[in-house]
Amino acid sequence: MPSGLGLICLLTAAFGEAARNSLRYERIALADGEWWRVLTGHLVHLGPAHTLLNLAGFAALVWLFLDEIRPREWLLSGAVAGVGIALGLYLRAPETQWYVGLSGVLHGWFALGAARTCTSRPQFGFVMLLGLCLKLLWEQLSGTLPFTQALEIGPVIVDAHLYGALAGALFYVISMLRALVGRSGTPL
């Protein structure tokens, strides 16, 4: 799954602005029934630097959470985060007319992986969750982090990070409930 995601992002980047405009999250297009944009908007980027930065972040998360997130869960939790971001932007951020990039989904994977790490390596997991919460709080109160602005890759939609992290946390809670129900023998 990880190499497949990288390949898709690189292929969409190769098609440039045409792919970006056809696949990005776009509020008006969603209202017109172009629902694929709920997921495909996360696979296109502002340009090569944005694509490579997001893929580097993804590679770091795969390395960091290799033992915490099962292969199938990368896809499922990524889809949940993608849908959560699109819904959040559509319902709570009407001023956001369009969005591209994987960073919101990366925040979802980070939330899921950090929550799972709390079981296997509690101190490390809690530090990661605290760091994520502080980052999201900063972004909600003050906007983009200064070092992110310095990269000059384009506008950052910090609400996507928040909605992605919330969706990743929701995926974690649902997976824990399913595991508990599975142990008790009661179907969910």
Side-chain angles (χ1 to χ4, degrees), residues 135-166:
K135 178 190 186 290
L136 294 170
L137 182 63
W138 173 283
E139 288 180 338
Q140 290 300 304
L141 296 175
S142 302
T144 307
L145 292 170
F147 67 84
T148 305
Q149 289 174 346
L151 294 174
E152 297 182 9
I153 49 176
V156 176
I157 309 297
V158 296
D159 287 345
H161 298 169
L162 176 64
Y163 300 138
L166 291 173

Short mmCIF file of all heavy atoms in Angstrom, two decimals, residues 135-166:
data_model
loop_
_atom_site.label_atom_id
_atom_site.label_comp_id
_atom_site.label_asym_id
_atom_site.label_seq_id
_atom_site.Cartn_x
_atom_site.Cartn_y
_atom_site.Cartn_z
N LYS A 135 0.43 21.06 18.44
CA LYS A 135 0.55 21.56 17.06
C LYS A 135 -0.81 21.99 16.52
O LYS A 135 -0.95 23.07 15.95
CB LYS A 135 1.15 20.49 16.15
CG LYS A 135 1.25 20.93 14.69
CD LYS A 135 1.63 19.78 13.78
CE LYS A 135 1.87 20.23 12.36
NZ LYS A 135 0.67 20.65 11.65
N LEU A 136 -1.81 21.15 16.72
CA LEU A 136 -3.15 21.47 16.23
C LEU A 136 -3.71 22.71 16.94
O LEU A 136 -4.34 23.56 16.30
CB LEU A 136 -4.10 20.28 16.42
CG LEU A 136 -3.78 19.05 15.58
CD1 LEU A 136 -4.63 17.86 16.02
CD2 LEU A 136 -3.94 19.33 14.10
N LEU A 137 -3.46 22.83 18.22
CA LEU A 137 -3.91 24.00 18.97
C LEU A 137 -3.24 25.26 18.44
O LEU A 137 -3.90 26.28 18.21
CB LEU A 137 -3.62 23.82 20.47
CG LEU A 137 -4.08 24.94 21.38
CD1 LEU A 137 -5.60 25.09 21.33
CD2 LEU A 137 -3.61 24.68 22.80
N TRP A 138 -1.93 25.20 18.23
CA TRP A 138 -1.20 26.34 17.66
C TRP A 138 -1.83 26.75 16.34
O TRP A 138 -2.08 27.93 16.08
CB TRP A 138 0.28 25.99 17.47
CG TRP A 138 1.02 27.08 16.74
CD1 TRP A 138 0.99 27.34 15.39
CD2 TRP A 138 1.87 28.07 17.30
NE1 TRP A 138 1.78 28.41 15.09
CE2 TRP A 138 2.32 28.89 16.26
CE3 TRP A 138 2.30 28.34 18.60
CZ2 TRP A 138 3.18 29.95 16.46
CZ3 TRP A 138 3.16 29.40 18.80
CH2 TRP A 138 3.59 30.20 17.74
N GLU A 139 -2.04 25.76 15.47
CA GLU A 139 -2.56 26.07 14.14
C GLU A 139 -3.96 26.69 14.22
O GLU A 139 -4.28 27.60 13.44
CB GLU A 139 -2.61 24.80 13.27
CG GLU A 139 -1.24 24.34 12.84
CD GLU A 139 -1.28 23.08 11.98
OE1 GLU A 139 -2.27 22.33 12.04
OE2 GLU A 139 -0.29 22.86 11.25
N GLN A 140 -4.78 26.22 15.14
CA GLN A 140 -6.13 26.76 15.26
C GLN A 140 -6.12 28.18 15.84
O GLN A 140 -6.96 29.00 15.47
CB GLN A 140 -7.01 25.85 16.11
CG GLN A 140 -7.35 24.54 15.45
CD GLN A 140 -8.09 24.71 14.14
OE1 GLN A 140 -9.14 25.34 14.08
NE2 GLN A 140 -7.54 24.16 13.06
N LEU A 141 -5.16 28.46 16.70
CA LEU A 141 -5.11 29.78 17.34
C LEU A 141 -4.25 30.78 16.57
O LEU A 141 -4.57 31.97 16.54
CB LEU A 141 -4.59 29.66 18.77
CG LEU A 141 -5.46 28.85 19.74
CD1 LEU A 141 -4.78 28.72 21.08
CD2 LEU A 141 -6.85 29.47 19.87
N SER A 142 -3.16 30.31 15.97
CA SER A 142 -2.20 31.22 15.36
C SER A 142 -1.95 30.99 13.88
O SER A 142 -1.20 31.75 13.25
CB SER A 142 -0.85 31.12 16.10
OG SER A 142 -1.02 31.41 17.47
N GLY A 143 -2.50 29.94 13.31
CA GLY A 143 -2.26 29.65 11.90
C GLY A 143 -1.07 28.74 11.69
O GLY A 143 -0.59 28.08 12.61
N THR A 144 -0.59 28.72 10.50
CA THR A 144 0.51 27.84 10.09
C THR A 144 1.74 28.03 10.96
O THR A 144 2.08 29.15 11.33
CB THR A 144 0.87 28.14 8.62
OG1 THR A 144 -0.33 28.06 7.85
CG2 THR A 144 1.87 27.16 8.09
N LEU A 145 2.40 26.93 11.27
CA LEU A 145 3.65 27.00 12.02
C LEU A 145 4.69 27.78 11.23
O LEU A 145 4.75 27.67 9.99
CB LEU A 145 4.19 25.59 12.30
CG LEU A 145 3.36 24.74 13.27
CD1 LEU A 145 3.86 23.31 13.25
CD2 LEU A 145 3.42 25.30 14.67
N PRO A 146 5.52 28.57 11.91
CA PRO A 146 6.51 29.40 11.20
C PRO A 146 7.43 28.63 10.26
O PRO A 146 7.69 29.07 9.15
CB PRO A 146 7.30 30.06 12.33
CG PRO A 146 6.37 30.04 13.50
CD PRO A 146 5.53 28.80 13.34
N PHE A 147 7.90 27.45 10.67
CA PHE A 147 8.82 26.72 9.79
C PHE A 147 8.09 26.18 8.56
O PHE A 147 8.70 26.00 7.51
CB PHE A 147 9.57 25.59 10.52
CG PHE A 147 8.71 24.46 11.00
CD1 PHE A 147 8.37 23.42 10.16
CD2 PHE A 147 8.25 24.43 12.31
CE1 PHE A 147 7.59 22.37 10.59
CE2 PHE A 147 7.47 23.38 12.76
CZ PHE A 147 7.13 22.35 11.90
N THR A 148 6.80 25.94 8.66
CA THR A 148 6.02 25.51 7.49
C THR A 148 5.88 26.65 6.50
O THR A 148 6.01 26.46 5.28
CB THR A 148 4.63 25.00 7.92
OG1 THR A 148 4.79 23.97 8.90
CG2 THR A 148 3.86 24.45 6.75
N GLN A 149 5.65 27.85 7.00
CA GLN A 149 5.55 29.03 6.14
C GLN A 149 6.87 29.25 5.39
O GLN A 149 6.87 29.66 4.23
CB GLN A 149 5.21 30.28 6.96
CG GLN A 149 3.79 30.28 7.47
CD GLN A 149 3.53 31.47 8.39
OE1 GLN A 149 4.45 32.12 8.85
NE2 GLN A 149 2.27 31.72 8.67
N ALA A 150 7.97 28.98 6.07
CA ALA A 150 9.29 29.21 5.47
C ALA A 150 9.54 28.30 4.27
O ALA A 150 10.35 28.63 3.41
CB ALA A 150 10.38 29.01 6.51
N LEU A 151 8.84 27.17 4.18
CA LEU A 151 9.02 26.26 3.05
C LEU A 151 8.46 26.84 1.76
O LEU A 151 8.85 26.42 0.67
CB LEU A 151 8.35 24.91 3.34
CG LEU A 151 8.94 24.10 4.47
CD1 LEU A 151 8.09 22.87 4.75
CD2 LEU A 151 10.37 23.68 4.15
N GLU A 152 7.54 27.77 1.87
CA GLU A 152 6.95 28.46 0.72
C GLU A 152 6.45 27.50 -0.36
O GLU A 152 6.75 27.65 -1.53
CB GLU A 152 7.95 29.46 0.12
CG GLU A 152 8.33 30.57 1.08
CD GLU A 152 9.29 31.57 0.47
OE1 GLU A 152 9.53 31.53 -0.74
OE2 GLU A 152 9.78 32.42 1.22
N ILE A 153 5.64 26.53 0.05
CA ILE A 153 5.06 25.61 -0.93
C ILE A 153 3.63 25.99 -1.28
O ILE A 153 3.05 25.40 -2.18
CB ILE A 153 5.13 24.15 -0.45
CG1 ILE A 153 4.60 24.02 0.97
CG2 ILE A 153 6.48 23.56 -0.62
CD1 ILE A 153 4.56 22.61 1.49
N GLY A 154 3.07 26.94 -0.60
CA GLY A 154 1.72 27.38 -0.89
C GLY A 154 0.90 27.51 0.38
O GLY A 154 1.39 27.27 1.48
N PRO A 155 -0.36 27.87 0.22
CA PRO A 155 -1.22 28.05 1.40
C PRO A 155 -1.45 26.72 2.12
O PRO A 155 -1.54 25.67 1.48
CB PRO A 155 -2.52 28.60 0.81
CG PRO A 155 -2.51 28.18 -0.61
CD PRO A 155 -1.07 28.11 -1.03
N VAL A 156 -1.52 26.79 3.44
CA VAL A 156 -1.77 25.60 4.25
C VAL A 156 -3.16 25.74 4.86
O VAL A 156 -3.46 26.75 5.50
CB VAL A 156 -0.71 25.46 5.37
CG1 VAL A 156 -1.03 24.27 6.27
CG2 VAL A 156 0.68 25.33 4.76
N ILE A 157 -3.99 24.74 4.65
CA ILE A 157 -5.33 24.72 5.22
C ILE A 157 -5.24 23.94 6.53
O ILE A 157 -5.35 22.72 6.56
CB ILE A 157 -6.35 24.06 4.25
CG1 ILE A 157 -6.26 24.67 2.86
CG2 ILE A 157 -7.76 24.12 4.81
CD1 ILE A 157 -6.61 26.13 2.78
N VAL A 158 -5.04 24.67 7.63
CA VAL A 158 -4.82 24.01 8.91
C VAL A 158 -6.05 23.25 9.39
O VAL A 158 -5.92 22.29 10.16
CB VAL A 158 -4.33 25.01 9.99
CG1 VAL A 158 -2.98 25.59 9.61
CG2 VAL A 158 -5.34 26.11 10.24
N ASP A 159 -7.24 23.63 8.95
CA ASP A 159 -8.43 22.88 9.34
C ASP A 159 -8.37 21.44 8.83
O ASP A 159 -8.89 20.52 9.47
CB ASP A 159 -9.70 23.56 8.82
CG ASP A 159 -10.03 24.83 9.58
OD1 ASP A 159 -9.48 25.05 10.68
OD2 ASP A 159 -10.86 25.61 9.08
N ALA A 160 -7.73 21.22 7.69
CA ALA A 160 -7.57 19.86 7.17
C ALA A 160 -6.75 19.01 8.13
O ALA A 160 -7.03 17.82 8.31
CB ALA A 160 -6.93 19.89 5.79
N HIS A 161 -5.75 19.61 8.76
CA HIS A 161 -4.94 18.87 9.74
C HIS A 161 -5.80 18.47 10.94
O HIS A 161 -5.72 17.33 11.41
CB HIS A 161 -3.77 19.73 10.21
CG HIS A 161 -2.82 20.11 9.13
ND1 HIS A 161 -1.83 21.06 9.31
CD2 HIS A 161 -2.69 19.71 7.84
CE1 HIS A 161 -1.15 21.21 8.19
NE2 HIS A 161 -1.66 20.40 7.28
N LEU A 162 -6.61 19.40 11.41
CA LEU A 162 -7.49 19.12 12.56
C LEU A 162 -8.48 18.02 12.21
O LEU A 162 -8.63 17.05 12.96
CB LEU A 162 -8.22 20.39 12.98
CG LEU A 162 -9.26 20.23 14.09
CD1 LEU A 162 -8.59 19.79 15.39
CD2 LEU A 162 -10.05 21.51 14.28
N TYR A 163 -9.18 18.15 11.10
CA TYR A 163 -10.18 17.15 10.73
C TYR A 163 -9.55 15.80 10.44
O TYR A 163 -10.13 14.75 10.75
CB TYR A 163 -11.01 17.63 9.53
CG TYR A 163 -11.75 18.92 9.81
CD1 TYR A 163 -11.81 19.93 8.86
CD2 TYR A 163 -12.37 19.15 11.03
CE1 TYR A 163 -12.48 21.12 9.11
CE2 TYR A 163 -13.04 20.34 11.29
CZ TYR A 163 -13.09 21.32 10.32
OH TYR A 163 -13.74 22.49 10.58
N GLY A 164 -8.36 15.79 9.86
CA GLY A 164 -7.66 14.54 9.62
C GLY A 164 -7.29 13.85 10.93
O GLY A 164 -7.49 12.64 11.09
N ALA A 165 -6.77 14.61 11.88
CA ALA A 165 -6.40 14.04 13.18
C ALA A 165 -7.63 13.52 13.91
O ALA A 165 -7.59 12.44 14.52
CB ALA A 165 -5.67 15.08 14.02
N LEU A 166 -8.73 14.26 13.86
CA LEU A 166 -9.96 13.80 14.51
C LEU A 166 -10.47 12.51 13.86
O LEU A 166 -10.93 11.60 14.56
CB LEU A 166 -11.03 14.89 14.45
CG LEU A 166 -10.77 16.12 15.31
CD1 LEU A 166 -11.81 17.21 15.03
CD2 LEU A 166 -10.74 15.76 16.79
#
